Amino acid sequence: MAVLEELSSLDLTALVASRVCHDIISPVGAITNGLEVLDEEGNEDMADFAMDLIRKSARQASAKLQFARLAFGAAGSAGSEIDLGDAHAVAAGFMENEKAELDWQLERILLPKNQVKLLLNLLLTINQCVPRGGVITVTSEGLNGQRMFKLVAKGKNARVAQVISSVLSGDAPERIDAHSVQPIYTRLLAKEEGLRLELTEKSDEITCIAHPIPTL
């Protein structure tokens, strides 16, 4: 992971910002298209369609921004905690626009913000493993005074992209860019919290666990 250790905070910030902008461009662009249709004269028949598009895209953009605020943003001062109920709300809003369904089985408690950010980034990561939809189950339990997260994605043709597999297993990706930065950021969050990521794959099921690194 030497290549990742050489990644400057400025470069990481720029790449994460690019990732967030990439996710927001599509719904914002759809809002613009809908407004253009409304501005065109003689297009009254398309007005209802345009308004539906604007409403749907605005909700999608808002959900993505709220999710990004917790998953990537500062979310309060250093050392602050985040309510898992708030994390559930933004995760549910985000997943409404995805193909997979979310089965959130976490109790509503306060956790350190970096642990919550890690959890949301793990959800982003494993969601990419079920491109044709399915169910993502999120659970957690305490282990030796530390929190362990477990996410299981079940869906047709579930698979782990090479960049995700490489980065989460501890290897450096072939390229560090806006495409690979999200699993990189996830890996760095886990390291910051003293957690090890374990990714396993079997027929139509992907399991990702973040658990404490054993101490000697």
Side-chain angles (χ1 to χ4, degrees), residues 1 4 12 16 19 67 71-72 114-126 128 149 151 164 167-168 180-199 208-210:
M1 297 288 284
L4 298 188
L12 178 62
V16 170
R19 166 62 195 253
F67 186 93
F72 300 110
N114 278 349
Q115 289 189 23
V116 177
K117 290 170 71 172
L118 172 62
L119 175 61
L120 294 179
N121 274 273
L122 289 174
L123 176 59
L124 273 182
T125 301
I126 205 164
Q128 298 177 54
F149 297 121
L151 294 86
I164 293 176
V167 173
L168 296 194
S180 62
V181 71
Q182 195 273 316
I184 289 172
Y185 187 67
T186 304
R187 178 80 189 180
L188 294 175
L189 282 170
K191 180 180 179 181
E192 182 74 16
E193 290 303 298
L195 298 172
R196 179 168 62 92
L197 301 179
E198 179 182 337
L199 195 64
C208 185
I209 301 176

Side-chain angles (χ1 to χ4, degrees), residues 14-29 64 178-179 181:
L15 289 169
V16 170
S18 294
R19 166 62 195 253
V20 173
C21 290
H22 177 271
D23 289 345
I24 300 301
I25 284 174
S26 180
V28 171
K64 286 179 177 291
H179 177 70
V181 71

Side-chain angles (χ1 to χ4, degrees), residues 12-216:
L12 178 62
T13 301
L15 289 169
V16 170
S18 294
R19 166 62 195 253
V20 173
C21 290
H22 177 271
D23 289 345
I24 300 301
I25 284 174
S26 180
V28 171
I31 293 173
T32 301
N33 292 338
L35 291 173
E36 289 177 350
V37 171
L38 291 179
D39 287 340
E40 292 180 4
E41 295 183 3
N43 241 355
E44 289 77 8
D45 293 340
M46 294 292 291
D48 289 341
F49 169 79
M51 285 303 302
D52 287 342
L53 177 63
I54 291 170
R55 292 190 186 98
K56 178 181 178 181
S57 300
R59 288 194 298 268
Q60 185 179 25
S62 177
K64 286 179 177 291
L65 283 171
Q66 290 182 57
F67 186 93
R69 177 177 174 271
L70 280 190
F72 300 110
S77 59
S80 64
E81 296 180 322
I82 297 176
D83 191 326
L84 277 184
D86 295 335
H88 180 201
V90 299
F94 176 85
M95 292 302 295
E96 282 184 1
N97 302 301
E98 301 298 304
K99 293 182 179 179
E101 297 179 6
L102 177 63
D103 180 12
W104 185 277
Q105 299 183 9
L106 305 182
E107 58 182 323
R108 183 162 193 166
I109 60 174
L110 291 172
L111 286 181
K113 70 173 185 178
N114 278 349
Q115 289 189 23
V116 177
K117 290 170 71 172
L118 172 62
L119 175 61
L120 294 179
N121 274 273
L122 289 174
L123 176 59
L124 273 182
T125 301
I126 205 164
N127 183 49
Q128 298 177 54
C129 298
V130 281
R132 300 187 66 177
V135 178
I136 298 176
T137 303
V138 183
T139 58
S140 175
E141 63 183 57
L143 183 65
N144 297 326
Q146 291 182 282
R147 183 66 48 175
M148 181 184 78
F149 297 121
K150 181 178 180 181
L151 294 86
V152 179
K154 297 181 180 180
K156 187 175 182 179
N157 295 333
R159 61 182 180 82
V160 181
Q162 181 61 44
V163 64
I164 293 176
S165 177
S166 296
V167 173
L168 296 194
S169 65
D171 297 328
E174 292 183 2
R175 295 179 57 189
I176 298 179
D177 53 22
H179 177 70
S180 62
V181 71
Q182 195 273 316
I184 289 172
Y185 187 67
T186 304
R187 178 80 189 180
L188 294 175
L189 282 170
K191 180 180 179 181
E192 182 74 16
E193 290 303 298
L195 298 172
R196 179 168 62 92
L197 301 179
E198 179 182 337
L199 195 64
T200 58
E201 181 178 3
K202 62 180 182 179
S203 179
D204 292 337
E205 183 177 309
I206 310 295
T207 299
C208 185
I209 301 176
H211 49 76
I213 299 174
T215 56
L216 298 178

